[in-house]
C-alpha cells in the first residue's frame, strides 16, 4: 500500500503531521514514536508472561491490570489515529498489520463485558508481530511468502505423505498392541498408536516403552525409520523452492544483468528488486 497516495488531501495539515510521525521514521518524533511503540510492546509481552505466574499475579495483580489498561488505551488511540490519517481506510483495516492491531485490542474491549479474559491472552501476544513494522522488516516477511508458496505448491505431495504416515502409525500401533499383549501403555490400540506416533516422529517422551524382546525389535525398526520419514517433507519443500528458483530467469529486467547470486534479492548493478 502506497501510504503517500493514501494520505488525506490537502489542507488538513495536522493529519499530514500525524501521518509522518505514525507511518514514517525519518523525523525525531517519528523515531521517538517507534521507540515508545517498541517499549510498550515489550512491556505488554512481559506483563502477559508474568500474569501466568500464580505467585506474581497474586502479588501484583492490580499493578498488572493498571499497566495493561494504560498500554491498551495507548494502542487503541494509535489504532484510531492510523485509520484517521488515511484516505483509503480499508487498505489499512484489511491489511496484515491492520488485522493484527485489531485482534490485539480484542481482549481490552472484551474485558468490559467478561471479567475473565485469560483465554484471550494469545491475541494480546500478537502485538509482538508489530516489531516487524517498527524495525521496518517487511522484506523479511516478503521472503516468508517464498516458503508459503513452496508449501502450497507441494501440498499434494505432503498430504499423500501424511496419509501414508497415518496408515503406517496405525498398522505399527496395532502390531505393538498384539506383541505387548496389553502391558502398561499398550492396553488399547489407540494407546499403542500414540506410542507409534511419538516414536516415528523421534519425539520420544519416554512415558511408554515396550518390554518384550519382539516389542523392542519393532521399536528399533520404527526409530530407524523415523529418521528417514522426518526428512521426506523437508526434502519435498526444499526441492520445490529450488525448482522455483531455477525456473526464474536470473536476469535483471531493468539492466539485463545476468551475474546474479542465487540468494540475491536486488540486482547488484542497478539495485532493482528481483522477482
Amino acid at each position: 500500500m502506497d501510504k503517500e497516495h493514501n494520505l488525506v488531501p490537502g489542507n488538513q495539515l495536522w493529519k499530514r503531521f500525524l501521518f509522518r510521525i505514525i507511518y514514517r521514521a525519518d523525523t525525531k518524533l517519528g523515531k521517538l514514536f517507534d521507540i515508545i511503540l517498541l517499549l510498550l510492546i515489550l512491556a505488554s509481552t512481559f506483563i502477559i508472561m508474568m500474569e501466568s505466574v500464580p505467585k506474581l499475579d497474586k502479588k501484583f495483580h492490580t499493578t498488572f491490570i493498571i499497566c495493561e489498561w494504560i498500554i491498551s488505551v495507548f494502542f487503541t488511540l494509535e489504532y484510531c489515529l492510523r485509520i484517521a490519517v488515511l484516505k483509503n481506510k480499508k487498505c489499512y483495516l484489511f491489511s496484515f498489520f491492520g488485522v493484527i492491531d485489531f485482534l490485539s485490542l480484542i481482549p481490552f474491549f472484551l474485558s468490559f463485558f467478561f471479567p475473565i479474559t485469560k483465554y484471550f491472552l494469545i491475541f494480546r501476544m500478537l502485538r509482538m508481530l508489530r516489531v516487524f513494522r517498527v524495525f521496518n522488516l517487511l522484506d523479511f516477511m516478503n521472503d516468508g511468502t517464498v516458503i508459503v508458496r513452496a508449501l502450497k505448491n507441494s501440498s499434494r505431495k505432503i498430504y499423500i505423505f501424511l496419509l501414508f504416515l497415518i496408515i503406517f502409525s496405525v498398522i505399527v500401533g496395532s502390531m505393538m498392541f498384539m506383541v505387548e499383549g496389553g502391558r502398561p501403555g499398550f492396553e488399547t490400540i489407540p494407546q499403542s498408536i500414540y506410542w507409534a506416533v511419538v516414536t516415528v516422529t523421534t519425539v520420544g517422551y519416554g512415558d511408554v516403552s515396550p518390554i518384550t524382546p519382539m516389542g523392542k525389535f519393532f521399536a528399533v525398526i520404527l526409530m530407524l525409520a523415523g529418521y528417514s520419514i522426518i526428512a521426506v517433507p523437508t526434502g519435498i519443500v526444499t526441492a520445490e523452492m529450488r525448482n522455483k528458483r531455477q525456473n526464474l530467469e536470473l536476469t535483471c529486467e531493468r539492466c539485463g544483468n545476468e551475474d546474479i547470486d542465487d540468494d540475491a534479492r536486488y540486482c547488484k548493478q542497478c539495485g532493482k528488486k528481483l522477482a
Side-chain angles (χ1 to χ4, degrees), residues 68-242:
E68 186 56 38
W69 268 68
I70 294 173
I71 294 172
S72 296
V73 168
F74 178 88
F75 281 124
T76 301
L77 293 175
E78 184 234 0
Y79 180 74
C80 295
L81 288 175
R82 285 186 181 274
I83 297 174
V85 300
L86 296 177
K87 181 179 180 181
N88 188 354
K89 305 183 189 309
K90 288 184 179 180
C91 289
Y92 167 71
L93 289 172
F94 296 102
S95 66
F96 174 79
F97 283 115
V99 174
I100 292 299
D101 293 344
F102 176 76
L103 291 177
S104 64
L105 291 173
I106 285 179
F108 173 67
F109 292 104
L110 286 178
S111 65
F112 290 106
F113 307 100
F114 303 100
I116 300 177
T117 58
K118 64 180 181 179
Y119 301 105
F120 302 102
L121 287 177
I122 183 62
F123 293 108
R124 287 160 57 188
M125 294 291 283
L126 290 175
R127 289 174 184 162
M128 293 190 66
L129 293 175
R130 303 184 64 186
V131 172
F132 284 92
R133 179 163 60 197
V134 174
F135 287 113
N136 195 24
L137 298 178
L138 291 179
D139 283 342
F140 290 93
M141 296 191 68
N142 291 333
D143 292 341
T145 60
V146 176
I147 300 177
V148 174
R149 192 180 300 115
L151 288 171
K152 183 178 180 180
N153 293 337
S154 57
S155 60
R156 188 170 181 272
K157 297 177 183 177
I158 294 177
Y159 292 152
I160 295 174
F161 167 75
L162 288 176
L163 179 60
F164 164 78
L165 188 58
I166 292 172
I167 295 173
F168 179 71
S169 299
V170 170
I171 293 174
V172 173
S174 300
M175 293 175 63
M176 288 298 294
F177 171 72
M178 292 186 295
V179 170
E180 289 297 308
R183 288 180 173 82
F186 299 93
E187 292 92 344
T188 64
I189 291 180
Q191 286 180 308
S192 302
I193 292 174
Y194 162 78
W195 170 85
V197 172
V198 170
T199 304
V200 78
T201 55
T202 69
V203 175
Y205 289 126
D207 55 338
V208 180
S209 58
I211 299 176
T212 64
M214 184 60 69
K216 292 180 179 179
F217 173 77
F218 275 119
V220 170
I221 299 299
L222 196 58
M223 292 173 194
L224 296 176
Y227 285 102
S228 302
I229 290 174
I230 292 302
V232 172
T234 305
I236 292 174
V237 176
T238 303
E240 183 63 35
M241 294 178 66
R242 185 182 298 112

